[in-house]
Amino acid sequence: MKFLFDLFPVILFFAAFKLADIYVATAVAIGATFLQIGLLALLKRKIEPMLWISLAIIVVFGGATLVLRDETFIKWKPTVLYWLFGAVLAGSALLFRRNLMRSMLSTQVRLPDPVWARLNWSWVGFFAFMGVANLLVALNFTTDQWVNFKLFGATGLMLLFVVGQALFLARHVQEEGKP
């Protein structure tokens, strides 16, 4: 259910694009992200920092798209978001010796330290790859093809990566009370 909730702005962006154009879709995505945060606040649920970052980036890049009537900005938005997430994970590990993946997931799963490090760096690599993939599609294909990639391609790649990570982690999970 959380996965669908997280995809809410992307699904609405896709639908609005198919029914109207990139500018309507961009405005819908901005509104949907505000609605997401508003709903979480109304339900007194925790609003994850990544959602705040996503809101800021959609407002800046989506706003530039709408004000300048240039779809280039909205096409860059996923790349900026992916690279920012990857940079935060890498920077935290390199500069502060803090593994953010461990910080986010350690209450749900116990893993040996080297596995936490591999997990963190695999996400850094994945975010770098996704940023490049988005740019390749945005710069070399039509806007319609990019929108399709954004919903189906990027989401599919994310699902495949998460399943691969789950299979990898399953081999390394430590039971409570065991080292």
Side-chain angles (χ1 to χ4, degrees), residues 73-158:
F73 295 101
I74 197 65
K75 288 180 175 181
W76 270 84
K77 181 247 171 204
T79 292
V80 170
L81 191 62
Y82 292 135
W83 286 353
L84 179 63
F85 288 161
V88 167
L89 290 173
S92 182
L94 293 172
L95 300 174
F96 304 108
R97 303 281 182 239
R98 182 158 185 231
N99 186 318
L100 291 181
M101 293 305 292
R102 182 181 196 153
S103 297
M104 289 186 288
L105 300 174
S106 64
T107 59
Q108 298 163 3
V109 65
R110 283 190 56 202
L111 298 168
D113 288 340
V115 175
W116 281 117
R118 274 184 269 162
L119 179 67
N120 192 71
W121 288 108
S122 68
W123 277 97
V124 170
F126 178 72
F127 284 136
F129 165 79
M130 289 299 290
V132 170
N134 179 71
L135 279 183
L136 287 173
V137 175
L139 297 174
N140 294 301
F141 294 90
T142 67
T143 299
D144 188 56
Q145 291 168 322
W146 174 77
V147 170
N148 289 336
F149 170 77
K150 186 170 168 41
L151 178 60
F152 301 111
T155 303
L157 289 169
M158 180 71 75

Side-chain angles (χ1 to χ4, degrees), residues 19-96:
L19 295 172
D21 63 20
I22 193 71
Y23 304 108
V24 170
T26 299
V28 166
I30 293 168
T33 307
F34 272 109
L35 186 63
Q36 241 182 348
I37 288 177
L39 184 59
L40 288 171
L42 186 68
L43 296 172
K44 297 188 185 331
R45 300 255 172 93
K46 183 179 186 220
I47 301 169
E48 299 293 331
M50 289 195 313
L51 188 53
W52 286 114
I53 293 167
S54 184
L55 174 66
I57 290 174
I58 188 72
V59 167
V60 169
F61 284 83
T65 295
L66 296 175
V67 169
L68 301 173
R69 302 301 280 179
D70 184 349
E71 65 190 41
T72 304
F73 295 101
I74 197 65
K75 288 180 175 181
W76 270 84
K77 181 247 171 204
T79 292
V80 170
L81 191 62
Y82 292 135
W83 286 353
L84 179 63
F85 288 161
V88 167
L89 290 173
S92 182
L94 293 172
L95 300 174
F96 304 108

